[in-house]
Amino acid sequence: MWEGNQLVVSQQTETFYNLIGKDWRPSLSGETFPVTNPADQRIVLGICQQSTAKDVDDAVREAKKSLPTWKGMAAPKRGEYVRKTAQLIEDHSAEFLELLVKEVGKSRADAQAEVTRTIRVMRFLAGEAERLTGENIPSWDAGITGYTKREPVGVVGVITPWNVPLAISAWKIATALVCGCTVVFKPSSQTPLVSLKLIEAYLANDLPPGVLNVVTGPGSKVGDAIANHPDVKAISFTGSNAIGTHINQLVAKRGARFQAEMGGKNPFVVLEDADLDLAAEHVIAGGLGESGQRCTATSRVIVLQEIADKFVQKLTDKINRLKIGDPIDEQTDMGPVIDQSAMESILNYIETGKQEQAVLVTGGYRLTGEEHINGWFIAPTVFRRVTPEMTIAQEEIFGPVISVMEATDFEQALEWANDVKYGLSSSIYTNDMHRAMAFINNIEAGLTHVNMPSTYSEPHYPFGGVKATGIGGMREVGSTAIDFYTEWKTVYIKPHAK
Ligand code: NAD
């Protein structure tokens, strides 16, 4: 818990509560659930509240009550809370890093990257509070002053996934707060602890009660209650397509605003003139970093046939040197997947790949050595000769599985790259500007990269996907992030009333 401005790590298993108004409270259900370490499921990291729709109702009431005061505060002052909280996280980045490693199973390098991204995105968004600008528009009547101004949309619901629990929660909440919205936040039940530490950091900076409320628990109860609540005017969701489309239907019925960032099946095209060592290293970084559990993960490598043997050899040589284990160990390159159900789903995809005649090059099994048996570890897996109609070429596996597809030429590589329902990230490796530009202009994706991993992004650039990846057509982070959380008001003034 935070005591004053100090993050105190308890030796005993800590119980975490919902934040409703000014109080940390147990759920009205009286039930809790444990959060465990995916590298060793015997370790319980914390106990959280198994909440109900009634808890959500209480949280929304507090958020609604605090809205007029928060909205009435000068926007740059709201930004100050975000800026100071970013500073507190930076001062305690080692503790945040360690919790990400233990709770999510990220390597130390990946956890450090998430902490850094969190601090940067919060600082950038704090500055947006000073840039909530409108337009001054000349009227046809010289006696009229006309302009537009942004106003907060109201109480917003924030629902986040387990895989980036600090940064995604941080950027949605920070954007809502600088725009003058109050928040009811539901973190993922798999990784709620680091998200709750973020909220505690806001409170340590004296955020007024009720501005930020947190309710943990099952998506089917807590998430749906947020989606259905008539006083929640907008919901920002990141997660799977199945849940995103489900919430979209609930929200559409009552006409509230909805933004969803969902899955990906990101292509990584390697042309014959590419630096193959660099490309192989970046396939590993993008495809196996965070055990492949990123929305922007490199999951399809589309390589030209003439270099396929050479490239696959380089890739597997490098993969076979990786150390897979508990990420608390600094030597570890790749940690576990998040839980048993994820592990089983990934192993099922691997079986399907074999049945559909893809060629398994390396991996393809659960690791069961002494170091691995209490966690959810899968050997890094590469399939080749994957063709576009195969399940492993189409569906998001969300695990350490890379599908190599062998195309005859650039045109076929581009066609295959676009031949999925998703449209989040993409990369091409080449020194040929002509084909790089053709890729940039024709790839159906919200993000694209030339000679850079599919996972690369910076918090002051817009982030989000097209096709089935995104609902709402708005981008998160970057300067356009404020669009989702604000409404336009158009003002006409005639100072000399006649
Ligand atoms: P998920 O959809 O299972 O859960 C996301 C959130 O929704 C969680 O908080 C969960 O508790 C909640 N939820 C679950 N059931 C619900 C229901 N019936 N009603 C309302 N809320 C409900 O996703 P996940 O497994 O946590 O995250 C992995 C997915 O997220 C992957 O598909 C990944 O690609 C995607 N993701 C996308 C981005 C992006 O920016 N595009 C970023 C990170 C993760």
Side-chain angles (χ1 to χ4, degrees):
M1 290 290 282
W2 293 89
E3 285 175 10
N5 272 1
Q6 291 304 309
L7 177 60
V8 180
V9 179
S10 160
Q11 293 308 307
Q12 288 158 350
T13 307
E14 193 178 334
T15 297
F16 292 78
Y17 297 96
N18 290 333
L19 179 63
I20 314 273
K22 63 178 177 25
D23 301 321
W24 289 103
R25 285 191 213 161
S27 164
L28 295 167
S29 72
E31 291 172 18
T32 56
F33 64 94
V35 179
T36 55
N37 181 334
D40 186 341
Q41 43 158 328
R42 296 168 302 177
I43 301 171
V44 177
L45 300 168
I47 306 288
C48 287
Q49 303 302 310
Q50 186 84 332
S51 309
T52 63
K54 181 73 184 74
D55 296 305
V56 171
D57 199 40
D58 290 345
V60 174
R61 192 171 316 108
E62 292 296 330
K64 196 175 172 191
K65 209 160 70 183
S66 65
L67 185 63
T69 314
W70 184 247
K71 167 180 168 175
M73 184 183 287
K77 287 195 180 157
R78 295 196 297 258
E80 274 300 287
Y81 287 97
V82 176
R83 193 175 287 109
K84 282 194 288 183
T85 304
Q87 184 60 50
L88 193 55
I89 293 171
E90 184 166 56
D91 295 344
H92 295 275
S93 47
E95 292 99 311
F96 278 95
L97 182 154
E98 193 168 318
L99 191 49
L100 278 171
V101 169
K102 289 182 180 165
E103 189 181 22
V104 193
K106 293 191 188 222
S107 69
R108 299 185 83 87
D110 287 335
Q112 179 60 62
E114 183 168 350
V115 174
T116 303
R117 190 176 181 194
T118 301
I119 296 162
R120 285 192 186 150
V121 80
M122 289 177 74
R123 288 199 172 127
F124 171 74
L125 290 165
E128 283 303 293
E130 289 155 293
R131 296 186 287 268
L132 287 175
T133 52
E135 279 184 301
N136 204 328
I137 305 165
S139 164
W140 278 97
D141 182 334
I144 292 176
T145 300
Y147 66 97
T148 57
K149 68 188 287 269
R150 288 180 187 271
E151 298 205 334
V153 73
V155 174
V156 301
V158 166
I159 302 177
T160 53
W162 63 264
N163 68 322
V164 190
L166 183 60
I168 293 182
S169 307
W171 77 52
K172 288 182 192 291
I173 290 169
T175 321
L177 295 183
V178 300
C179 289
C181 301
T182 56
V183 177
V184 176
F185 170 42
K186 188 207 115 42
S188 164
S189 297
Q190 283 141 303
T191 57
L193 304 183
V194 75
S195 307
L196 289 163
K197 291 289 173 199
L198 165 73
I199 305 313
E200 290 174 6
Y202 269 109
L203 293 200
N205 279 307
D206 300 322
L207 189 77
V211 169
L212 188 47
N213 304 272
V214 188
V215 184
T216 58
S220 55
K221 290 187 177 157
V222 177
D224 279 8
I226 293 174
N228 284 325
H229 203 294
D231 289 330
V232 177
K233 299 298 179 199
I235 293 168
S236 181
F237 167 87
T238 298
S240 64
N241 281 63
I243 303 300
T245 46
H246 160 74
I247 302 179
N248 190 34
Q249 284 164 2
L250 299 181
V251 172
K253 275 191 207 147
R254 60 184 187 86
R257 195 180 278 198
F258 186 55
Q259 168 186 56
E261 286 300 334
M262 301 176 288
K265 189 72 188 170
N266 311 294
F268 185 111
V269 171
V270 187
L271 299 186
E272 80 293 342
D273 67 333
D275 177 335
L276 296 191
D277 282 301
L278 180 76
E281 276 161 31
H282 288 183
V283 167
I284 292 170
L288 302 178
E290 303 184 17
S291 309
Q293 303 167 110
R294 283 167 161 172
C295 53
T296 52
T298 300
S299 56
R300 294 179 297 144
V301 179
I302 307 173
V303 54
L304 296 196
Q305 271 168 8
E306 60 198 90
I307 50 162
D309 288 344
K310 199 170 158 194
F311 182 73
V312 171
Q313 190 63 51
K314 280 183 188 290
L315 183 64
T316 43
D317 287 349
K318 287 180 198 291
I319 287 177
N320 292 337
R321 290 199 287 273
L322 297 178
K323 181 174 177 336
I324 319 302
D326 188 335
I328 207 76
D329 177 353
E330 289 190 8
Q331 305 304 314
T332 294
D333 296 301
M334 192 183 97
V337 298
I338 189 65
D339 59 19
Q340 183 170 5
S341 142
M343 183 184 73
E344 286 168 0
S345 158
I346 297 161
L347 291 173
N348 273 337
Y349 274 116
I350 292 172
E351 276 316 304
T352 306
K354 289 190 218 163
Q355 279 162 19
E356 292 183 353
Q357 309 296 315
V359 177
L360 183 63
V361 182
T362 188
Y365 51 87
R366 179 183 183 183
L367 293 168
T368 52
E370 201 184 332
E371 188 193 348
H372 301 114
I373 194 63
N374 293 307
W376 316 116
F377 292 93
I378 295 181
T381 300
V382 177
F383 280 104
R384 70 178 293 189
R385 303 208 204 296
V386 175
T387 48
E389 73 289 351
M390 289 183 189
T391 308
I392 59 170
Q394 290 296 329
E395 293 185 17
E396 184 184 44
I397 300 174
F398 222 54
V401 180
I402 293 165
S403 298
V404 179
M405 308 172 74
E406 292 148 57
T408 48
D409 53 22
F410 169 70
E411 285 69 27
Q412 186 174 54
L414 178 60
E415 187 189 321
W416 285 359
N418 283 331
D419 185 18
V420 288
K421 68 177 179 178
Y422 298 106
L424 183 51
S425 191
S426 55
S427 296
I428 186 166
Y429 281 66
T430 181
N431 288 312
D432 175 353
M433 273 309 278
H434 175 69
R435 287 181 295 175
M437 289 308 294
F439 185 79
I440 291 169
N441 292 332
N442 293 295
I443 190 71
E444 296 163 1
L447 308 168
T448 195
H449 307 81
V450 177
N451 299 324
M452 295 176 70
S454 62
T455 46
Y456 187 86
S457 71
E458 294 188 35
H460 53 300
Y461 290 69
F463 181 90
V466 299
K467 293 162 75 175
T469 297
I471 297 176
M474 297 202 190
R475 291 288 177 266
E476 300 208 89
V477 299
S479 57
T480 54
I482 55 176
D483 291 339
F484 180 74
Y485 297 89
T486 51
E487 307 261 26
W488 285 111
K489 182 174 276 178
T490 304
V491 183
Y492 298 96
I493 305 174
K494 207 163 198 181
H496 307 292
K498 277 205 180 130

